[in-house]
Amino acid sequence: MAKLALLSVSDKTGIVAFGSELTKRGFEIISTGGTLKTLVDGGVKATAVEDVTGFPEMLDGRVKTLHPRIHAGILAKRDNPQHMAKLKENGIEPIDLICVNLYPFKETIQKDGVTDAEAIEQIDIGGPSMLRAAAKNFQDVTVITDQADYSEFLKRFDDDQVDNAYRRHLAAKVFRQTAAYDALIAKYMTTEPFPDKLTVTYEKVEDMRYGENSHQAAAYYKEPIPAAYSLANATQLHGKALSYNNLRDADAALRIIADFDKPAVVALKHMNPCGIGVSDDLLTSWNLAYESDPISIFGGIIALNRKVDLATAEKMHALFLEIIIAPAFDDDAYAVLAKKKNLRIMTLDFGKMNPNQKDMVTVLGGALYQDADTVHETVSDFKVVSKAQPTEAQLKALEFGQTVVKHVKSNAIVVTTANQTLGVGAGQMNRIDSLKIAVDKAEEKTGYDEAIVASDAFFPMDDCVEYAAKHGIKAIVEPGGSIKDQASIDKADEYGIALVFTGVRHFKH
């Protein structure tokens, strides 16, 4: 008895050749709608599915294969005499191979101006049903949903290697595909910010050489439809492959620079900024970022929010850097940077920033899902709680420092001017140590006499205010909210420091 294959594909690439090869190997083919026409027009003999079911396609193609003569033929266990007897009793032929790919839901919802009705019509029902049925019965049925598997199947068939392990492999692939398909539909249909069941799916970009360390295996995945302003949509123009740590650092740099409208340069190392400069031109911004910490920038990641010119490129070329990412590069600037064969040079559309994102991190046995920290305080949000009032220059510096500090690992303290970081104290277990690190880096730098201190969270005691005062700081911005706020206010008044509360904490873990 000939083997029976059912072919019903939305993407018909390669289906005629595959169908032809199946017939050469003794398969009889049944098919549906457009796939049937493509096969027949391509010279492949195939039978319409309605000739098997005895029931016409209906409801504009919504109902084609949802019929017992199809699903019984797929689901019958060949080693179960009762199953096989029922097939014979009802004149149903077992189906040995299913080749199905699904309606292009993802491609549809990515189109400009697509309507809800158009999207819903691209939710496949019969396809996933056949795929899941065949995958469930993989011990008897081969199921193919990926065109990349056409040639592999034919080779294995010829070599008599379509064994249980291979069919199980294909079945697992099906369940991943249908799960991902359903997850994308669920995301499209869901309106709750935090639904009871969170279904997320990612598509593999590549295997990586290793993860955070050389003994850790890793792979890079992206969202099916990633945000426009994301690494998944960045273009690498030059350099060796990105590492696990490169990707995490580059992502952190992009998050930071998104908070600045003027020409800005962010230098980043190990997920923390080591230098940020903002000015009216890119070269000046670069100089400010570099001078923030000329030591830590070595081997760093650089993000720039303007097209890179030759003068700025020459400055960067003089250093060892891992990644440079910007909206674009002048031809001569790119030529200079590309002389370093390993330097990763990347571009991204900075005009498509979308702050309304969610962040997810995994924990043992689960995940945490939250709104991204997109709150941005300005001078109008500040509350001066000290007797001393900040000057206009200090207010600008306090606003800049507040923008920077939320991107530094907590406990976080930054010392800045109005357009440059002078010292960054990151990730210490107590706030006074973070302050000491930041001040130590900042004290000898030009502009320190105008510097302010910004803290990501309140001062639990007045020691930070006193230390800052004794090291020449004249203005501080912090959230407030401690039961000991008054002690810090009193200490600020004792030293004549302008102390500003924002009311917003910016822990970053």
Side-chain angles (χ1 to χ4, degrees):
M1 185 171 63
K3 289 182 175 290
L4 196 59
L6 192 156
L7 278 55
S8 179
V9 292
S10 175
D11 184 346
K12 297 170 180 59
T13 305
I15 197 62
V16 171
F18 186 53
S20 177
E21 292 299 322
L22 289 175
T23 58
K24 291 177 184 177
R25 288 160 174 80
F27 281 87
E28 292 182 1
I29 295 173
I30 57 176
S31 192
T32 61
T35 306
L36 177 67
K37 184 177 186 305
T38 299
L39 290 169
V40 173
D41 289 350
V44 178
K45 183 180 178 181
T47 300
V49 73
E50 56 258 42
D51 292 338
V52 174
T53 63
F55 202 88
E57 293 186 16
M58 61 186 298
L59 306 181
D60 300 318
R62 282 190 168 197
V63 178
K64 292 181 288 216
T65 58
L66 296 169
H67 193 280
R69 288 189 173 275
I70 298 299
H71 283 272
I74 298 171
L75 284 164
K77 296 172 70 174
R78 308 314 195 250
D79 60 357
N80 186 314
Q82 292 179 325
H83 282 200
M84 300 311 291
K86 280 294 182 182
L87 291 190
K88 186 174 182 179
E89 178 184 332
N90 289 279
I92 298 172
E93 295 292 333
I95 298 174
D96 302 288
L97 184 145
I98 295 290
C99 178
V100 172
N101 57 51
L102 305 177
Y103 291 174
F105 181 79
K106 181 175 82 168
E107 292 76 10
T108 299
I109 63 175
Q110 287 180 286
K111 294 178 182 176
D112 291 335
V114 65
T115 66
D116 208 39
E118 289 170 333
I120 288 170
E121 279 307 307
Q122 293 304 316
I123 298 176
D124 204 330
I125 302 299
S129 298
M130 287 190 291
L131 286 173
R132 288 173 60 83
K136 175 177 180 175
N137 201 24
F138 71 87
Q139 68 270 22
D140 295 314
V141 181
T142 303
V143 57
I144 296 175
T145 189
D146 186 347
Q147 297 156 12
D149 290 318
Y150 292 175
S151 59
E152 173 73 7
F153 168 77
L154 294 171
K155 183 178 184 301
R156 282 179 170 269
F157 185 88
D158 292 342
D159 295 339
D160 195 26
Q161 291 182 350
V162 181
D163 55 15
N164 194 65
Y166 176 62
R167 289 193 300 271
R168 186 187 182 98
H169 159 75
L170 293 176
K173 196 169 188 177
V174 161
F175 285 120
R176 292 196 300 271
Q177 168 66 13
T178 56
Y181 191 78
D182 285 343
L184 190 59
I185 295 168
K187 182 176 181 179
Y188 175 81
M189 306 264 310
T190 297
T191 56
E192 304 97 314
F194 300 101
D196 291 341
K197 300 290 185 183
L198 183 63
T199 54
V200 295
T201 185
Y202 295 90
E203 299 173 355
K204 191 174 186 179
V205 176
E206 62 183 355
D207 289 313
M208 312 197 79
R209 288 178 59 204
Y210 52 83
E212 280 183 297
N213 299 289
S214 59
H215 57 275
Q216 295 171 268
Y220 174 32
Y221 291 82
K222 68 176 182 178
E223 295 177 345
I225 306 177
Y229 183 74
S230 67
L231 279 177
N233 278 316
T235 300
Q236 185 170 348
L237 305 178
H238 178 77
K240 62 183 180 180
L242 294 164
S243 71
Y244 180 100
N245 292 332
N246 287 156
L247 286 164
R248 295 209 65 198
D249 283 341
D251 177 73
L254 289 177
R255 290 170 184 260
I256 296 170
I257 204 164
D259 268 343
F260 299 101
D261 295 323
K262 293 178 69 175
V265 174
V266 171
L268 185 133
K269 200 80 170 288
H270 302 297
M271 302 286 289
N272 285 299
C274 58
I276 299 177
V278 176
S279 185
D280 292 325
D281 66 88
L282 195 65
L283 180 59
T284 302
S285 298
W286 161 262
N287 289 335
L288 291 169
Y290 172 75
E291 290 161 5
S292 294
D293 194 339
I295 296 174
S296 297
I297 200 172
F298 180 85
I301 280 74
I302 307 297
L304 313 93
N305 64 357
R306 294 293 191 275
K307 188 176 186 179
V308 177
D309 55 75
L310 177 60
T312 306
E314 287 175 334
K315 293 273 189 174
M316 291 190 287
H317 179 261
L319 303 174
F320 166 59
L321 300 171
E322 290 277 2
I323 301 172
I324 299 173
I325 185 165
F329 295 80
D330 285 337
D331 289 344
D332 51 1
Y334 176 79
V336 165
L337 294 170
K339 291 177 181 178
K340 294 192 171 183
K341 67 177 183 178
N342 290 329
L343 173 64
R344 292 94 164 173
I345 303 174
M346 305 178 72
T347 57
L348 179 64
D349 188 346
F350 277 58
K352 293 185 176 180
M353 297 175 187
N354 178 13
N356 300 317
Q357 301 291 316
K358 291 280 196 298
D359 288 333
M360 177 183 287
V361 296
T362 60
V363 293
L364 294 175
L368 302 172
Y369 193 50
Q370 67 170 355
D371 293 332
D373 184 2
T374 58
V375 173
H376 180 83
E377 293 84 39
T378 64
V379 170
S380 62
D381 301 304
F382 292 170
K383 178 184 177 182
V384 181
V385 295
S386 59
K387 292 177 183 178
Q389 298 294 305
T391 65
E392 288 298 315
Q394 286 173 336
L395 284 172
K396 291 179 181 179
L398 292 167
E399 184 174 343
F400 178 77
Q402 183 67 8
T403 301
V404 171
V405 78
K406 78 173 188 178
H407 295 289
V408 179
K409 292 277 188 177
S410 189
N411 284 317
I413 297 285
V414 297
V415 178
T416 79
T417 64
N419 61 352
Q420 181 186 27
T421 54
L422 299 181
V424 176
Q428 300 306 301
M429 286 62 73
N430 64 71
R431 197 158 296 279
I432 188 69
D433 281 349
S434 290
L435 177 63
K436 289 176 180 178
I437 291 169
V439 168
D440 183 63
K441 286 177 174 289
E443 275 187 295
E444 302 304 318
K445 292 190 174 74
T446 302
Y448 184 74
D449 57 328
E450 300 173 358
I452 62 89
V453 161
S455 174
D456 68 332
F458 62 64
F459 295 145
M461 51 194 69
D462 63 7
D463 55 352
C464 284
V465 178
E466 183 165 36
Y467 187 90
K470 289 182 175 180
H471 288 78
I473 297 296
K474 297 294 191 295
I476 298 173
V477 59
E478 53 129 320
S482 169
I483 60 174
K484 295 185 177 180
D485 274 348
Q486 191 58 50
S488 290
I489 295 170
D490 292 343
K491 191 62 69 174
D493 289 340
E494 178 184 338
Y495 285 96
I497 286 180
L499 182 61
V500 172
F501 285 177
T502 66
V504 180
R505 187 190 74 188
H506 287 289
F507 276 159
K508 183 183 178 188
H509 283 75

